[in-house]
Amino acid sequence: MTEVKNTPSLAEDLLRLYELALSVGRQRGAEAMAQHFNKILIERYNLTGAAILWSDKDGALKPLSVLPGKLLSRASLDAGTSLDSLLKVATPTHVPPGTDAHLQLQQLLEVAGQHVALSPVGGQGLLIMRAALDGIFSRRMLNSLRPILDNLGGALSGTFARVELEVS
């Protein structure tokens, strides 16, 4: 009997990252760009959900893209400010179920019994990823997303700057 390999090969990782990198900046609006990025991320990494939150001019963290729509709890959307504590995440972080940090996240996110990873998007955003399976959020996976998320943050900032310039 052959053994099934759970970890993707380096070539598979590179193809995923390449596709994600190509998705950055292909849409004109920030929401469309974030939505497209999340869709590819969910499909390629077998995730159950992903959200990109962005800090607006006032410093409040607002959702740009949430797939599926139930990833953020209704209370966190209504209270807006409760999401701001998540922006303090400076490095990619995996939060497995059953930990104290996971219990705190359950108050903000629909993540009961699932693995969660948080990663900064540029200096103003946050990517939240959710997966049912253990092992998806390896250190290698999270670290390899960092440069792409930095580029995504720059593209989103540019989109918001362009909109602001067009308004003025």
Side-chain angles (χ1 to χ4, degrees):
M1 175 159 48
T2 60
E3 186 178 309
V4 178
K5 207 164 82 169
N6 288 338
T7 57
S9 70
L10 185 58
E12 291 170 327
D13 272 350
L14 288 173
L15 286 174
R16 288 177 182 169
L17 294 169
Y18 181 70
E19 189 173 3
L20 282 172
L22 287 178
S23 74
V24 173
R26 296 191 52 99
Q27 284 70 29
R28 200 164 155 86
E31 290 83 6
M33 188 185 312
Q35 193 83 352
H36 184 66
F37 183 87
N38 276 346
K39 183 179 175 209
I40 292 172
L41 183 70
I42 288 169
E43 289 172 359
R44 297 303 173 253
Y45 286 96
N46 196 25
L47 303 179
T48 58
I52 295 176
L53 309 177
W54 194 257
S55 179
D56 64 12
K57 290 186 284 188
D58 304 324
L61 206 53
K62 305 286 184 203
L64 274 184
S65 169
V66 181
L67 294 175
K70 290 190 152 222
L71 179 61
L72 299 177
S73 71
R74 186 79 240 149
S76 68
L77 289 174
D78 293 340
T81 55
S82 62
L83 293 172
D84 295 347
S85 62
L86 295 175
L87 195 56
K88 293 180 177 80
V89 174
T91 60
T93 307
H94 172 218
V95 185
T99 61
D100 289 341
H102 194 276
L103 292 174
Q104 292 174 342
L105 282 175
Q106 283 184 24
Q107 297 172 15
L108 303 173
L109 310 170
E110 298 292 333
V111 294
Q114 299 206 11
H115 293 264
V116 179
L118 307 171
S119 189
V121 177
Q124 286 185 270
L126 179 72
L127 172 66
I128 302 169
M129 297 172 282
R130 179 182 69 184
L133 302 174
D134 186 16
I136 290 179
F137 301 127
S138 67
R139 179 66 33 212
R140 181 174 112 184
M141 180 266 203
L142 293 174
N143 285 337
S144 64
L145 284 176
R146 278 184 99 164
I148 295 171
L149 293 175
D150 286 343
N151 287 343
L152 178 63
L156 291 171
S157 292
T159 302
F160 286 115
R162 182 182 45 80
V163 168
E164 201 172 296
L165 188 61
E166 288 173 355
V167 169
S168 61

